Amino acid sequence: LPDDLLEQGKKVRQYNAQHEKFRLFHGTESDILEDGRLDYDDEVLSQLDYVVASVHAIPKWKNRDEATNTEELIRAMEHPSATVLGHPSGRILQGRDGYEVDLNAVLQAMAEMEETKVVELNASPYRLDLDWRLCKRAKELGVPVSINPDAHDLAGLRDIRYGVDMARKGWLTKTDVLNSKSAEAVLELMN
């Protein structure tokens, strides 16, 4: 709920004010709706350090054409609060195909946006989404990649290793990966 998210943000800011050697970033995953809007309103989103924008209504997106899906992902990432494009194809390996989208065009558009935009490499062994070939394209375009374990419990944190393996296969180095940067560098990138 938006009020809970804003209350959580107050606690994170209080914590950060009390601790100099450790910093928490406050953010959320926001659903990309069918018209490219995000599911939280701008007042809430503007108070966060980051927003992972992701598609979750896969059946609806799968029933549309590639051009529409591509345009709406780009529109979502144009939102000033959208920081990271989460699990960009929506696929689940051996479970479901993703929706039709031209991720080369999405990455190109993200590279041309005024604010830095990041693409997720979802490290879950059931996703591995961003495909390793697109990791190389993100690198060529200067779009940072964030390797995220998609952990729903503590054990899921171990999945980060699969994301690192895919990043290496996609020619990424630590300079291309958001997670390997210092807190100061991440703050600079996001501001």
Side-chain angles (χ1 to χ4, degrees):
L1 297 170
D3 290 340
D4 294 336
L5 188 59
L6 294 175
E7 185 61 34
Q8 181 186 59
K10 289 178 189 174
K11 292 177 183 175
V12 168
R13 285 189 295 280
Q14 288 170 352
Y15 180 87
N16 285 338
Q18 297 169 357
H19 298 85
E20 293 179 21
K21 294 186 179 186
F22 190 83
R23 171 161 179 117
L24 292 176
F25 292 97
H26 183 236
T28 193
E29 183 173 27
S30 186
D31 196 21
I32 300 173
L33 304 175
E34 286 185 68
D35 56 1
R37 289 181 303 113
L38 301 179
D39 67 343
Y40 284 104
D41 64 40
D42 291 350
E43 182 182 334
V44 172
L45 294 173
S46 67
Q47 296 183 48
L48 303 173
D49 293 320
Y50 69 92
V51 173
V52 179
S54 305
V55 171
H56 292 103
I58 302 299
K60 290 179 183 175
W61 285 65
K62 285 182 79 164
N63 287 327
R64 301 180 327 164
D65 62 83
E66 179 181 285
T68 301
N69 290 338
T70 301
E71 289 170 18
E72 292 189 4
L73 278 189
I74 292 169
R75 186 175 306 125
M77 292 312 296
E78 287 172 339
H79 190 286
S81 295
T83 315
V84 179
L85 175 58
H87 45 76
S89 79
R91 74 181 185 189
I92 295 180
L93 297 172
Q94 298 182 352
R96 73 168 180 235
D97 293 334
Y99 48 86
E100 294 294 321
V101 62
D102 181 351
L103 286 174
N104 280 301
V106 174
L107 290 170
Q108 180 71 47
M110 289 171 64
E112 295 170 0
M113 291 179 189
E114 192 171 314
E115 304 96 8
T116 300
K117 303 296 180 173
V118 179
V119 64
E120 177 188 54
L121 193 171
N122 186 301
S124 166
Y126 301 104
R127 285 195 181 266
L128 299 177
D129 184 17
L130 188 67
D131 184 275
W132 68 269
R133 290 165 287 222
L134 289 166
C135 289
K136 188 173 182 184
R137 183 65 179 142
K139 176 184 179 105
E140 291 167 356
L141 293 168
V143 175
V145 175
S146 179
I147 303 173
N148 300 330
D150 197 19
H152 295 258
D153 55 33
L154 288 175
L157 292 173
R158 290 186 218 124
D159 290 346
I160 198 81
R161 69 179 187 232
Y162 301 119
V164 171
D165 289 344
M166 287 300 99
R168 287 179 176 157
K169 186 174 181 176
W171 295 75
L172 300 183
T173 65
K174 66 180 182 178
T175 60
D176 307 309
V177 177
L178 182 70
N179 317 53
S180 64
K181 299 185 183 307
S182 69
E184 294 78 21
V186 171
L187 271 174
E188 186 177 318
L189 198 70
M190 293 184 182
N191 290 329

